[in-house]
Amino acid sequence: MSDDAVSPEEVRHVAELARVDLADDEVDQFARQFADILDYFETLDEVPEVDREADLANVMRPDEVRDTLEREEALQNATKTEDGYFKGPNVS
Amino acid sequence: MAPHESSFVTDIEPATEHVAGVGIDGLAPYRRVVTFYPHQPESRVMTAQTVQQGDLVTVIGLEVHVQLETDTKIFCGCSTEQTDEPNEHVCPVCLGLPGALPVLNEGAVEAAVKIGKAIDAEIPEETRFHRKNYYYPDLPKNFQITQYDEPICADGELEVAVEGTRRTITIERAHLEEDPGSLQHVGGGIDTADYTLVNYNRAGTPLMEIVTAPDFRSPSEVRAFLAELEEVLEYLGVFDAERDGSLRIDANLSIIPEDEIESGDIDDIGSSALETANRTEVKNISSHKGAQKALAYEETRQKNAIERGRAVEQETRHWDESRGITVSMRSKEEEKDYRYFEEADLPPLRVADWKDEISIPELPSARRERFQAEYGLDEESASKLTSTKQVADFYETVAAEFDPDLAATWVADNLLGELNYRDMEITDLEGRLNEVTRLVELVATDEITAKNARETVLRSMLDDERTPEEIVDAEGLGKTGEDEVQQAVVEAIDENPDAVSDYESGDDGAINFLVGQVMQKTGGSADPGDVNQLLRAELEA
């Protein structure tokens, strides 16, 4: 697959969806990397298509309350917290 | 309580735009599937010319999200109970911690099958879950587990009465998914806030998303549908309308010139007319009334634009309840951006046979019809008496013991009327309904007058939480004995010779005067009908 398979606009769009800021040189770098990744996926096209064969079905649990985490445990990996909440930057 | 007065909670999901398109080749391993209302990707300007040729028809479709009443979340065993303490009901699964695996809650699937039965939907042999990817802090995993091309319920319908006519609304699909967490934007609006506080108590609450065909022609039809849907869900016992945020609605609205409808029947609009119309999606609606208001606003806004020859943008708009308007939202994602793909951590679900195994109660519409046939009620009474399962159950208890008409008057008019006046529900009388039955018995056995029962006893029961017997004793409302009434009748006749002679000379009004005299003597506790008869008997003697 040629290098122009992924445009800088597409990279910027994907970055925007992931809420990631990219500098211009990073955009070029990711455009190349995206193209490589797409190449790898092309290889997968050679794998014959098969139907899903799920060994399992209907794996469920009864509607019964189980132990939860203590709040301190739940929050302990967060870089910022406030009054029991996770705290993050403004998002729109 | 929110810790910050200036903060507010929002439930806005990133806007969905179902624009047909293709992902970056090879990066999109999902199948290109459901576009609920297919339309052209490019905006189309309705010209003033087309409008002058005919009337405009409003077309509305709904996506209704309802929280299912289960004890635990859909993919983990955390409680769904509401709490003011943030991040109290959380675990590695609903926090999206690495390595945590979802396990489906049987209760949520049962609730979904019940809904499927109630809306006469198909439960496919096999259904499965997908991941809907988007980056927003209300989703700790950065994807929402939902259903995509194989929803648990498909092709259902619900019949509603709108202004006296019955309409059948097609329900295209209903699927299970998890609720996101809740965000507080602190220190300003969504765009201007200083920072965000995140609470994952709600994350993972089971949701059913119910998607209708674009079958509505007015905001009032939407409201009637939502009321009926809520009634059905409450009858099924899978939904609690009282719970904050338990019902959330997104609506699609477009305006179509009548002459573009090929069939000439506004109930049968062809797909091409729907496709070419520009549609707005209105988000953030949280009640029946809100839906009617938001859509009435949006309908007027679009019609005004068209009548002035302006284009209606294809866009997502946010209903601002406090200002009573819809405002444009920037939409970031298109459907392809969600990169739906199969949730490999959840095996497929084969529950088509549950439809036979799980029973559901008689639904409001069937019960309404039965009440009319079985108890000889008119449509209005039958409708009032089936408004909730509790009311209907109580009516049947009373009607089993007493005259069904008397029971209907007492439950539909007196009880519901007084409850409504106090902003109460029948559920507020839990454990005291036998007192209401006792009150009906006092009336049925003529121990107190209907007027006293209604105006004094019932009101005091609700206001002072006293039993009917206590009130009857305290207020001296026991019906006056027959002898006493008879004595009062004789007295009234003796004391009012003028009225008697008026009666004898054929003035029928005189009897009413005499009835009034007797009522006064007995302190209003005699039955006016009985008094009338006794007087006539005495005067004719």
Side-chain angles (χ1 to χ4, degrees):
Chain A
M1 197 174 241
S2 59
D3 279 357
D4 60 7
V6 181
S7 69
E9 287 68 37
E10 284 167 327
V11 172
R12 283 201 181 85
H13 178 63
V14 171
E16 202 182 297
L17 293 175
R19 298 175 183 270
V20 175
D21 275 333
L22 291 183
D24 286 349
D25 58 332
E26 288 173 317
V27 171
D28 294 339
Q29 184 188 351
F30 278 109
R32 283 194 304 276
Q33 290 185 0
F34 277 21
D36 288 345
I37 292 166
L38 292 179
D39 275 347
Y40 305 147
F41 273 94
E42 288 221 324
T43 311
L44 282 181
D45 288 345
E46 290 159 27
V47 178
E49 259 186 66
V50 287
D51 281 339
R52 164 180 63 190
E53 275 181 63
D55 299 333
L56 293 169
N58 292 0
V59 178
M60 284 175 259
R61 61 178 173 82
D63 184 20
E64 286 162 12
V65 177
R66 295 190 190 182
D67 286 345
T68 56
L69 289 176
E70 291 298 321
R71 189 159 63 199
E72 290 63 39
E73 295 175 302
L75 296 174
Q76 74 181 5
N77 289 335
T79 45
K80 283 183 184 167
T81 64
E82 184 174 300
D83 299 330
Y85 292 85
F86 292 90
K87 183 177 175 181
N90 170 34
V91 281
S92 61
Chain B
M1 262 302 284
H4 300 277
E5 292 200 322
S6 58
S7 67
F8 69 95
V9 177
T10 175
D11 286 315
I12 310 166
E13 280 181 42
T16 315
E17 287 280 296
H18 302 295
V19 176
V22 184
I24 300 169
D25 266 347
L27 260 194
Y30 59 87
R31 283 193 258 152
R32 174 90 235 128
V33 207
V34 196
T35 311
F36 300 138
Y37 310 122
H39 51 66
Q40 293 175 340
E42 276 162 43
S43 282
R44 180 180 155 280
V45 180
M46 284 191 188
T47 61
Q49 195 192 355
T50 56
V51 175
Q52 284 159 2
Q53 291 163 8
D55 290 335
L56 299 173
V57 178
T58 304
V59 177
I60 304 168
L62 297 180
E63 286 175 27
V64 186
H65 297 82
V66 293
Q67 283 184 340
L68 299 177
E69 272 295 283
T70 51
D71 290 339
T72 64
K73 295 183 178 182
I74 184 168
F75 298 121
C76 62
C78 290
S79 170
T80 52
E81 206 172 302
Q82 288 196 306
T83 164
D84 291 336
E85 291 297 315
N87 297 305
E88 186 90 340
H89 299 319
V90 293
C91 76
V93 174
C94 55
L95 288 175
L97 299 185
L101 290 173
V103 185
L104 185 58
N105 178 353
E106 197 175 49
V109 179
E110 277 174 17
V113 171
K114 283 182 186 172
I115 293 174
K117 277 186 87 160
I119 60 172
D120 203 15
E122 189 197 329
I123 313 277
E125 277 307 313
E126 185 166 300
T127 104
R128 57 178 174 161
F129 290 89
H130 272 72
R131 293 182 179 184
K132 177 183 183 178
N133 296 276
Y134 69 90
Y135 287 73
Y136 203 64
D138 60 0
L139 277 184
K141 301 189 294 293
N142 285 334
F143 60 84
Q144 179 191 33
I145 304 179
T146 178
Q147 296 194 286
Y148 190 47
D149 55 345
E150 293 178 280
I152 188 161
C153 301
D155 298 325
E157 59 181 43
L158 189 67
E159 199 180 77
V160 287
V162 191
E163 284 143 19
T165 57
R166 297 245 148 224
R167 304 230 326 121
T168 300
I169 304 298
T170 297
I171 294 171
E172 294 186 337
R173 53 183 277 147
H175 70 250
L176 281 167
E177 61 184 29
E178 58 180 339
D179 212 349
S182 29
L183 303 185
Q184 286 181 38
H185 303 276
V186 181
I190 295 175
D191 290 328
T192 57
D194 296 329
Y195 58 95
T196 307
L197 294 181
V198 191
N199 176 1
Y200 291 118
N201 282 339
R202 197 183 67 182
T205 301
L207 285 185
M208 195 86 181
E209 180 177 322
I210 298 164
V211 182
T212 77
D215 281 354
F216 303 98
R217 297 294 170 266
S218 72
S220 58
E221 284 183 9
V222 168
R223 186 173 180 173
F225 171 84
L226 292 170
E228 181 74 24
L229 178 67
E230 199 173 281
E231 232 174 83
V232 167
L233 296 172
E234 286 197 293
Y235 262 67
L236 294 174
V238 300
F239 174 72
D240 178 8
E242 298 294 302
R243 195 183 161 112
D244 205 24
S246 58
L247 178 80
R248 274 120 56 193
I249 303 140
D250 298 339
N252 300 294
L253 186 146
S254 47
I255 304 287
I256 296 178
E258 198 166 1
D259 56 317
E260 285 187 18
I261 303 164
E262 287 158 25
S263 64
D265 174 4
I266 65 160
D267 290 335
D268 181 25
I269 298 177
S271 56
S272 66
L274 286 175
E275 277 167 32
T276 50
N278 266 356
R279 185 170 60 84
T280 58
E281 181 164 12
V282 185
K283 287 183 167 276
N284 193 43
I285 303 170
S286 57
S287 68
H288 310 172
K289 212 167 123 191
Q292 187 171 18
K293 276 159 71 182
L295 293 170
Y297 175 87
E298 191 54 24
E299 181 182 39
T300 308
R301 190 189 69 83
Q302 291 195 20
K303 281 189 174 171
N304 283 348
I306 292 167
E307 273 156 18
R308 288 170 196 158
R310 288 205 307 262
V312 174
E313 289 285 327
Q314 180 122 342
E315 62 178 349
T316 300
R317 297 178 71 85
H318 176 89
W319 167 240
D320 186 331
E321 178 98 48
S322 59
R323 289 196 289 164
I325 58 169
T326 64
V327 287
S328 184
M329 270 169 77
R330 285 166 297 154
S331 48
K332 299 179 194 75
E333 274 95 352
E334 297 177 2
E335 171 147 319
K336 66 179 165 65
D337 294 329
Y338 289 122
R339 290 154 292 145
Y340 281 97
F341 62 87
E342 190 173 347
E343 171 54 274
D345 290 339
L346 289 167
L349 208 52
R350 298 190 189 118
V351 291
D353 57 331
W354 287 24
K355 218 178 160 181
D356 300 322
E357 286 164 24
I358 296 175
S359 63
I360 58 170
E362 185 182 24
L363 294 173
S365 57
R367 209 165 188 186
R368 262 194 300 275
E369 278 170 31
R370 181 169 62 79
F371 275 20
Q372 290 183 51
E374 193 174 326
Y375 301 111
L377 301 175
D378 60 46
E379 200 175 330
E380 195 192 341
S381 303
S383 168
K384 271 192 201 170
L385 289 170
T386 50
S387 58
T388 73
K389 190 170 182 300
Q390 288 82 0
V391 170
D393 288 347
F394 180 58
Y395 171 70
E396 297 219 77
T397 311
V398 179
E401 275 185 68
F402 307 103
D403 174 53
D405 275 339
L406 180 75
T409 305
W410 269 88
V411 179
D413 299 339
N414 300 347
L415 179 62
L416 292 183
E418 295 294 332
L419 284 172
N420 189 35
Y421 180 73
R422 287 163 180 75
D423 214 9
M424 287 167 76
E425 304 279 341
I426 196 162
T427 44
D428 295 326
L429 286 181
E430 210 168 318
R432 295 187 64 208
L433 284 173
N434 58 335
E435 292 176 21
V436 181
T437 313
R438 174 72 189 135
L439 177 60
V440 177
E441 187 184 347
L442 291 174
V443 177
T445 54
D446 277 335
E447 286 183 44
I448 58 173
T449 63
K451 187 167 185 283
N452 281 337
R454 192 172 62 235
E455 292 176 5
T456 308
V457 184
L458 179 59
R459 289 177 189 174
S460 178
M461 281 169 68
L462 299 178
D463 292 335
D464 314 321
E465 301 203 357
R466 293 193 291 178
T467 66
E469 288 83 358
E470 281 169 4
I471 301 159
V472 169
D473 283 351
E475 310 290 330
L477 298 176
K479 249 193 197 171
T480 314
E482 275 177 37
D483 290 350
E484 212 179 310
V485 179
Q486 181 63 29
Q487 198 188 333
V489 165
V490 173
E491 277 178 28
I493 288 171
D494 288 349
E495 289 166 14
N496 298 285
D498 290 351
V500 172
S501 62
D502 284 350
Y503 172 79
E504 279 163 354
S505 61
D507 178 0
D508 232 29
I511 195 93
N512 293 335
F513 171 77
L514 290 169
V515 170
Q517 294 299 305
V518 176
M519 294 304 287
Q520 225 170 43
K521 286 175 185 296
T522 56
S525 62
D527 184 282
D530 293 349
V531 171
N532 193 307
Q533 278 188 353
L534 287 169
L535 276 167
R536 284 178 196 274
E538 192 65 29
L539 289 165
E540 301 297 330

